[in-house]
Amino acid sequence: MAASLSRSLGLGLVLSLIIVWFSACDAQVPGFRSIDCGGNNQYTDELGLNWEPDTQFPFGQSANISIPTETRKQYTTLRYFPADTSKYCYPLNVTTRTRYLLRATFLYGNFDNSNVFPKFDLSIDASHWSNVVIYDMSTVVSKEVVFLASSSVVSVCVSNALTGQPFISTLELRQLNGSLYYTDFETKSFLSLSARINFGALSEEPVRYPDDSYDRIWQSDTIKKANFLVDVAPGTTNISTTEPIDISSGAEKPPQKVMQTAVVGMNGTLSYRLNLPGFPGFGWAFSYFSEIEELGPSDTRKFKLVIQGLPDVNKPTVNVLENAAGMYRVYEPGYYNISLPFTFPFKFRKTNDSTKGPILNALEIYKYLPINSGSSDASSIDLLASRYSYASWAQEGGDPCLPIPRSWVRCTDDLQPSISSIVLSGRNLTGNIPEEITKLPRLVEIWLDGNNLTGTIPDFSGCPELRIIHLENNQLTGGIPSSLSSSPNLQELYLQNNMLSGVVPRSLLNKNKIFNYSGNVYLRKERNTKKDFIIIICSMIGVAFILAAISCSCFLSHKRFKFFSKEDDVTKVPPPPPPQKLQTSSFDEFASVTAHRYSFSELERATSNFEKNIGSGGFGVVYYGKTKDEKEIAVKVLTNESAQGRKQFSNEVSLLSRIHHRNLVSFLGYCPQEGKNMLVYEFMHNGTLKEHLHGLAAKENPLSWLRRLEIAEDSARGIEYLHTGCTPTIIHRDIKTSNILLDKNMRAKVADFGLSKLVADETYASTIVRGTVGYLDPDYYTNQQLTEKSDVYSFGVILFELLSGQPPLCGARLGEKYKHVKDWAKFHYETGDIRAIIDPSLEENYRDIQSIWKIAETAVRCTNIYSTERPTMSEVLQEIQDAIALEQAPVSGAVAIPVFSDDTSEYPDLR
Ligand SMILES: *[C@@H]1O[C@H](CO)[C@@H](O)[C@H](O)[C@H]1NC(C)=O
Ligand SMILES: *[C@@H]1O[C@H](CO)[C@@H](O)[C@H](O)[C@H]1NC(C)=O
Ligand SMILES: *[C@@H]1O[C@H](CO)[C@@H](O)[C@H](O)[C@H]1NC(C)=O
Ligand SMILES: *[C@@H]1O[C@H](CO)[C@@H](O)[C@H](O)[C@H]1NC(C)=O
Ligand SMILES: *[C@@H]1O[C@H](CO)[C@@H](O)[C@H](O)[C@H]1NC(C)=O
Ligand SMILES: *[C@@H]1O[C@H](CO)[C@@H](O)[C@H](O)[C@H]1NC(C)=O
Ligand SMILES: *[C@@H]1O[C@H](CO)[C@@H](O)[C@H](O)[C@H]1NC(C)=O
Ligand SMILES: *[C@@H]1O[C@H](CO)[C@@H](O)[C@H](O)[C@H]1NC(C)=O
């Protein structure tokens, strides 16, 4: 009786607590946090999600995007940060040992009116999360991870802008329930979302909250984008139901709305190919099945998964009805750790004894991202910062050292870095010297000068590597601790202008050290018995050995002047505080050569009177030459003379001479000569790419696939520099294989840049279409609007040439139907037959066909007829580098832990 009363009392208490809790979080979904970066008020959106502004955030600035049609309020604002070497972190409170889904989104929207698409890094605590690459103005770039919170705060940081300024539009944190997305690896890896697809979707709109109570965003399979669910098998049909689905039978609780639709392979197979962003690598891949079609009594639906190159994966048979224990229930087989490629083809094929074709309701693939455990001094640094939580330097979140250090520390180079310097000069610090500083074992430098620190100097014996201590210009009291005099590596100690007292330890007065203690009125130097002793000895011996005595006293007076006078004890000017921000621009990219003016006779001599013609192009004839100092040069004699005078020519030339880049042919000088202006370039030993692809060299010594990728990378770099590194931007206008030259080491450089401006008469430039047939951008041809994207088009044609070995027009392998290599290659690319394109001279001389797919895809995008749909050169460069990484990586093995079932006896094929 008493027990049941207390139990019902307890229940009542719990119930009322729950009610209080729910009303307190009225508008907010429990476990959800949505931050509208750059926003300035709180609101609830049409989905019922409650957005909060980030007005408390101390860094960066808010901005509005300039897309008037964007109506989702959270995307209309953003916060952006300086493109410097700092990182900018949002600390988010979380509950430890709880799994979360974290989504960061980025909508550029030309917020800075510069149309420079930013590219920067995203990290989570000490771990690299992703590179954020903005490809266009109006697409929301979204990054998602699932992680297990290991501490009470998780920091999301942006840093390291390669172009533009880092920014962020939203941050969404969704607490997951129970064992959703549990893996055995969760303390070592995050799950980074690569694909989450709702098959048989009824519209292009994604399914999310409130249909998905965890607000996962399930992409519709009807969306059209490059290499997303292509190669669909014939006979693929959408099916859907309105019957309720029991989702509790799936570990990941996929939303009912997603499970109510599916695709079915009426003709026996379902097949798809899609790109998996972030891969190749190891990942978590699960499929979701539910029988939603009314089957006849004798119907069966059994099928197998077929993934090319993964024979072990292909064995288990899926029988949805059996495994889900009936209809309208979820069956969720998958792989906890499977090696997947970037371009991922997969197929479900019905077994011979099955009457129905395969079904697929949904699919989720994540890549494992290693968790970096962070720097070893993180807790000391966090404690230190928490003492000054009002100061903005103390609010820089994230790991102290990783991926890049906070602005006021420097770190060791170790894999798990430690703090090597603390730089907090003139930060208005008050109180005692924070004791956390004395607990940094690898500390080398301390800068705490110019603050208002009081109290005594602490014991630094916990920092044996200390070399430099700056404590000057504070209010420190007490004596100089003996631990400082026994500090083994101390080289510089600055204590001037404090209120220290007591005696200066003698061991600090060493001529190899810098020690400044002036301006401490109560500090006495010790009576120096050693000095007296030396004087006695000297005078005794001195009677007999005068010379020796003189030298000895000289030594003493020298020594005294230097070390024993309090007023003069500043023996070296202290170095200025170290720069807190390091410049990272790589100067080696830019040679410092300036244009030289050659005389006509000089060039005449160098070229032996223009004897050896090594090429001719749109702008003139090129001759080989060798200057007096044995430097090999190429002299271009311009033919297409315009009315421009000598002055304008040299103006243009001086402009040209300021463009220097490792991947642009070096411009050495010029020779103004009426009617025969000349330009002098470095000589490129291995000639043009054209010869190596379609000429004699191609037959004798065909380029390997990796070499082709490197040539593509080099030339993309050169063109990217013209587009983004020069002001005003330079559009090459004549990108083609004969303008890509190869040096001694077969590294490529782009030639003939900046010439169109030099040669063409300005006023007609916009109406005369320049360029070379086969490489000419059709959009430019029709609209006569010249942009960087015209170069991108031409470069795309070059990529096709590198892939196929075919010239742009009328290649032998193109047949009757196709004139242009682009149309022919695109046809084969779209039908999924990449091998039909590959240059036969490559034979099987490539390691990973994924890199070929990647280049083909890039070439297709570059040659889109609409210039706005084409990628930027920076993006193209990134793709090429990814392809190189694929080609250089060891071929991924087929390692998988199948969890289709624990009981192999269900799958006779396994035996
Ligand atoms: C953004 O727009 C709002 C209203 O349209 C305006 O009040 C605000 O000042 C703008 N913010 C910035 C940073 O321009
Ligand atoms: C996060 O946690 C800290 C410390 O518990 C607290 O002061 C702060 O208000 C919390 N922030 C939010 C947004 O809940
Ligand atoms: C989390 O789990 C509890 C109990 O298992 C359930 O009542 C609650 O609805 C779940 N929350 C979500 C968002 O699904
Ligand atoms: C699919 O099967 C149907 C009937 O079995 C047949 O008519 C159709 O041609 C098949 N489609 C393809 C592309 O094989
Ligand atoms: C499925 O339905 C969507 C929308 O109605 C449609 O776009 C898509 O082509 C259909 N897919 C198939 C395989 O029929
Ligand atoms: C997945 O398996 C591979 C190969 O066995 C292993 O190297 C890797 O660490 C595993 N992934 C995770 C996240 O544990
Ligand atoms: C130290 O504090 C005093 C007053 O408390 C103030 O006048 C002075 O500017 C402070 N010095 C520094 C370096 O902040
Ligand atoms: C220095 O810090 C104190 C609090 O410790 C604060 O009141 C004062 O405004 C600060 N002064 C400056 C110049 O930042």
Side-chain angles (χ1 to χ4, degrees), residues 125 151 153 155 375 377-389 393-394 396-400 406 408 419 436 440:
D125 291 335
S151 72
V153 175
S155 291
S375 46
D377 298 323
S379 56
S380 297
I381 291 295
D382 285 342
L383 262 172
L384 169 62
S386 67
R387 289 174 185 267
Y388 306 98
S389 52
W393 62 266
E396 290 176 19
D399 185 86
R406 295 192 195 173
W408 49 280
I419 304 290
E436 289 80 18
L440 304 170

Short mmCIF file of all heavy atoms in Angstrom, two decimals, residues 125 151 153 155 375 377-389 393-394 396-400 406 408 419 436 440:
data_model
loop_
_atom_site.label_atom_id
_atom_site.label_comp_id
_atom_site.label_asym_id
_atom_site.label_seq_id
_atom_site.Cartn_x
_atom_site.Cartn_y
_atom_site.Cartn_z
N ASP A 125 36.39 20.23 -34.07
CA ASP A 125 37.42 20.11 -33.04
C ASP A 125 38.79 20.08 -33.71
O ASP A 125 39.08 20.95 -34.49
CB ASP A 125 37.16 18.90 -32.13
CG ASP A 125 35.92 19.12 -31.25
OD1 ASP A 125 35.58 20.30 -30.99
OD2 ASP A 125 35.29 18.15 -30.85
N SER A 151 33.07 15.32 -25.42
CA SER A 151 33.17 16.32 -24.36
C SER A 151 31.93 17.19 -24.43
O SER A 151 31.05 16.95 -25.25
CB SER A 151 34.43 17.16 -24.53
OG SER A 151 34.28 18.03 -25.61
N VAL A 153 31.55 20.25 -25.31
CA VAL A 153 31.50 21.26 -26.36
C VAL A 153 32.08 20.67 -27.63
O VAL A 153 33.09 19.95 -27.58
CB VAL A 153 32.33 22.51 -25.96
CG1 VAL A 153 32.37 23.51 -27.10
CG2 VAL A 153 31.77 23.17 -24.72
N SER A 155 33.40 22.04 -31.43
CA SER A 155 33.68 23.28 -32.14
C SER A 155 33.70 23.04 -33.64
O SER A 155 34.35 22.11 -34.10
CB SER A 155 35.04 23.84 -31.73
OG SER A 155 35.00 24.28 -30.42
N SER A 375 45.54 18.30 -29.47
CA SER A 375 46.83 18.59 -28.88
C SER A 375 46.83 18.19 -27.41
O SER A 375 45.80 18.16 -26.75
CB SER A 375 47.18 20.05 -29.06
OG SER A 375 46.08 20.84 -28.74
N ASP A 377 47.98 19.68 -24.76
CA ASP A 377 47.78 20.69 -23.72
C ASP A 377 46.40 21.32 -23.76
O ASP A 377 46.18 22.38 -23.16
CB ASP A 377 48.84 21.79 -23.88
CG ASP A 377 50.24 21.24 -23.70
OD1 ASP A 377 50.41 20.34 -22.86
OD2 ASP A 377 51.15 21.69 -24.41
N ALA A 378 45.48 20.70 -24.49
CA ALA A 378 44.18 21.34 -24.71
C ALA A 378 43.47 21.72 -23.41
O ALA A 378 42.94 22.82 -23.30
CB ALA A 378 43.29 20.44 -25.56
N SER A 379 43.51 20.84 -22.41
CA SER A 379 42.73 21.15 -21.20
C SER A 379 43.35 22.32 -20.44
O SER A 379 42.63 23.18 -19.92
CB SER A 379 42.59 19.91 -20.32
OG SER A 379 43.86 19.41 -20.01
N SER A 380 44.70 22.41 -20.38
CA SER A 380 45.33 23.54 -19.71
C SER A 380 44.99 24.84 -20.42
O SER A 380 44.71 25.86 -19.78
CB SER A 380 46.86 23.38 -19.70
OG SER A 380 47.22 22.24 -18.98
N ILE A 381 45.01 24.79 -21.75
CA ILE A 381 44.75 26.02 -22.50
C ILE A 381 43.28 26.43 -22.34
O ILE A 381 42.98 27.62 -22.19
CB ILE A 381 45.09 25.79 -24.00
CG1 ILE A 381 46.61 25.65 -24.15
CG2 ILE A 381 44.56 26.90 -24.88
CD1 ILE A 381 47.40 26.89 -23.82
N ASP A 382 42.38 25.46 -22.29
CA ASP A 382 40.96 25.81 -22.11
C ASP A 382 40.73 26.42 -20.73
O ASP A 382 39.98 27.38 -20.58
CB ASP A 382 40.08 24.57 -22.31
CG ASP A 382 39.95 24.21 -23.79
OD1 ASP A 382 40.24 25.10 -24.62
OD2 ASP A 382 39.58 23.08 -24.11
N LEU A 383 41.42 25.87 -19.72
CA LEU A 383 41.30 26.44 -18.37
C LEU A 383 41.83 27.87 -18.35
O LEU A 383 41.21 28.77 -17.78
CB LEU A 383 42.11 25.60 -17.40
CG LEU A 383 41.33 24.57 -16.59
CD1 LEU A 383 42.27 23.68 -15.82
CD2 LEU A 383 40.40 25.31 -15.62
N LEU A 384 42.99 28.04 -18.97
CA LEU A 384 43.59 29.37 -19.04
C LEU A 384 42.63 30.36 -19.69
O LEU A 384 42.38 31.44 -19.17
CB LEU A 384 44.90 29.28 -19.83
CG LEU A 384 45.57 30.59 -20.24
CD1 LEU A 384 45.95 31.39 -19.02
CD2 LEU A 384 46.81 30.30 -21.07
N ALA A 385 42.06 29.95 -20.83
CA ALA A 385 41.16 30.86 -21.55
C ALA A 385 39.91 31.14 -20.73
O ALA A 385 39.39 32.26 -20.75
CB ALA A 385 40.79 30.25 -22.90
N SER A 386 39.45 30.16 -19.95
CA SER A 386 38.20 30.36 -19.22
C SER A 386 38.37 31.43 -18.13
O SER A 386 37.39 32.01 -17.67
CB SER A 386 37.72 29.04 -18.61
OG SER A 386 38.62 28.62 -17.62
N ARG A 387 39.61 31.72 -17.71
CA ARG A 387 39.83 32.79 -16.73
C ARG A 387 39.56 34.17 -17.34
O ARG A 387 39.38 35.14 -16.62
CB ARG A 387 41.30 32.80 -16.28
CG ARG A 387 41.67 31.65 -15.41
CD ARG A 387 43.18 31.72 -15.17
NE ARG A 387 43.60 30.55 -14.44
CZ ARG A 387 43.70 30.53 -13.11
NH1 ARG A 387 43.43 31.61 -12.40
NH2 ARG A 387 44.07 29.43 -12.50
N TYR A 388 39.67 34.26 -18.64
CA TYR A 388 39.51 35.57 -19.29
C TYR A 388 38.37 35.50 -20.29
O TYR A 388 38.48 36.03 -21.40
CB TYR A 388 40.82 35.96 -20.01
CG TYR A 388 42.01 35.92 -19.09
CD1 TYR A 388 42.85 34.81 -19.06
CD2 TYR A 388 42.29 36.99 -18.23
CE1 TYR A 388 43.94 34.77 -18.19
CE2 TYR A 388 43.37 36.95 -17.37
CZ TYR A 388 44.19 35.84 -17.35
OH TYR A 388 45.25 35.80 -16.49
N SER A 389 37.30 34.82 -19.92
CA SER A 389 36.26 34.50 -20.90
C SER A 389 35.64 35.73 -21.57
O SER A 389 35.05 35.62 -22.63
CB SER A 389 35.17 33.65 -20.25
OG SER A 389 34.74 34.30 -19.09
N TRP A 393 40.19 37.05 -27.49
CA TRP A 393 41.20 36.01 -27.77
C TRP A 393 40.88 34.73 -27.04
O TRP A 393 41.21 33.64 -27.50
CB TRP A 393 42.61 36.51 -27.43
CG TRP A 393 42.84 36.86 -25.98
CD1 TRP A 393 42.73 38.11 -25.43
CD2 TRP A 393 43.21 35.98 -24.90
NE1 TRP A 393 43.01 38.05 -24.08
CE2 TRP A 393 43.30 36.76 -23.73
CE3 TRP A 393 43.45 34.61 -24.82
CZ2 TRP A 393 43.63 36.22 -22.50
CZ3 TRP A 393 43.79 34.07 -23.58
CH2 TRP A 393 43.88 34.87 -22.42
N ALA A 394 40.24 34.87 -25.87
CA ALA A 394 39.94 33.68 -25.07
C ALA A 394 38.73 32.94 -25.61
O ALA A 394 38.43 31.83 -25.20
CB ALA A 394 39.71 34.07 -23.62
N GLU A 396 38.37 32.28 -28.85
CA GLU A 396 38.73 31.49 -30.03
C GLU A 396 38.60 30.04 -29.61
O GLU A 396 39.31 29.60 -28.74
CB GLU A 396 40.18 31.76 -30.42
CG GLU A 396 40.42 33.13 -30.99
CD GLU A 396 41.91 33.36 -31.27
OE1 GLU A 396 42.65 32.38 -31.36
OE2 GLU A 396 42.28 34.53 -31.39
N GLY A 397 37.69 29.33 -30.20
CA GLY A 397 37.45 27.95 -29.75
C GLY A 397 38.29 26.97 -30.52
O GLY A 397 39.29 27.32 -31.15
N GLY A 398 37.86 25.74 -30.48
CA GLY A 398 38.55 24.70 -31.22
C GLY A 398 39.78 24.23 -30.48
O GLY A 398 40.11 24.73 -29.40
N ASP A 399 40.44 23.27 -31.05
CA ASP A 399 41.67 22.77 -30.45
C ASP A 399 42.72 23.88 -30.47
O ASP A 399 42.79 24.64 -31.43
CB ASP A 399 42.14 21.56 -31.26
CG ASP A 399 43.34 20.91 -30.62
OD1 ASP A 399 43.16 20.07 -29.75
OD2 ASP A 399 44.48 21.28 -30.99
N PRO A 400 43.58 23.97 -29.42
CA PRO A 400 44.57 25.05 -29.41
C PRO A 400 45.52 25.01 -30.60
O PRO A 400 45.99 26.06 -31.04
CB PRO A 400 45.33 24.82 -28.10
CG PRO A 400 44.51 23.92 -27.28
CD PRO A 400 43.57 23.18 -28.19
N ARG A 406 45.56 28.52 -32.39
CA ARG A 406 44.89 29.79 -32.05
C ARG A 406 45.88 30.92 -32.24
O ARG A 406 47.09 30.71 -32.27
CB ARG A 406 44.42 29.74 -30.60
CG ARG A 406 43.35 28.68 -30.40
CD ARG A 406 42.69 28.83 -29.06
NE ARG A 406 41.95 27.60 -28.76
CZ ARG A 406 41.36 27.35 -27.60
NH1 ARG A 406 41.41 28.24 -26.62
NH2 ARG A 406 40.71 26.21 -27.40
N TRP A 408 47.11 33.13 -30.40
CA TRP A 408 48.03 33.53 -29.33
C TRP A 408 48.89 32.38 -28.82
O TRP A 408 49.50 32.49 -27.77
CB TRP A 408 47.25 34.16 -28.18
CG TRP A 408 46.06 33.37 -27.74
CD1 TRP A 408 44.83 33.33 -28.34
CD2 TRP A 408 45.98 32.47 -26.64
NE1 TRP A 408 44.01 32.47 -27.68
CE2 TRP A 408 44.67 31.93 -26.63
CE3 TRP A 408 46.88 32.07 -25.65
CZ2 TRP A 408 44.25 31.02 -25.68
CZ3 TRP A 408 46.45 31.15 -24.69
CH2 TRP A 408 45.14 30.64 -24.72
N ILE A 419 51.94 22.85 -26.78
CA ILE A 419 52.12 24.30 -26.88
C ILE A 419 53.60 24.61 -26.72
O ILE A 419 54.23 24.16 -25.76
CB ILE A 419 51.33 25.01 -25.77
CG1 ILE A 419 49.86 24.62 -25.81
CG2 ILE A 419 51.53 26.50 -25.84
CD1 ILE A 419 49.12 25.16 -26.98
N GLU A 436 48.20 27.66 -15.10
CA GLU A 436 48.15 26.66 -16.18
C GLU A 436 49.41 26.75 -17.05
O GLU A 436 49.85 25.76 -17.63
CB GLU A 436 46.92 26.88 -17.07
CG GLU A 436 45.59 26.53 -16.43
CD GLU A 436 45.09 27.62 -15.51
OE1 GLU A 436 45.58 28.76 -15.62
OE2 GLU A 436 44.22 27.32 -14.67
N LEU A 440 52.75 23.41 -18.89
CA LEU A 440 52.92 23.08 -20.31
C LEU A 440 54.34 22.57 -20.51
O LEU A 440 55.27 23.34 -20.60
CB LEU A 440 52.66 24.33 -21.16
CG LEU A 440 51.29 25.00 -20.94
CD1 LEU A 440 51.23 26.35 -21.63
CD2 LEU A 440 50.17 24.11 -21.44
#
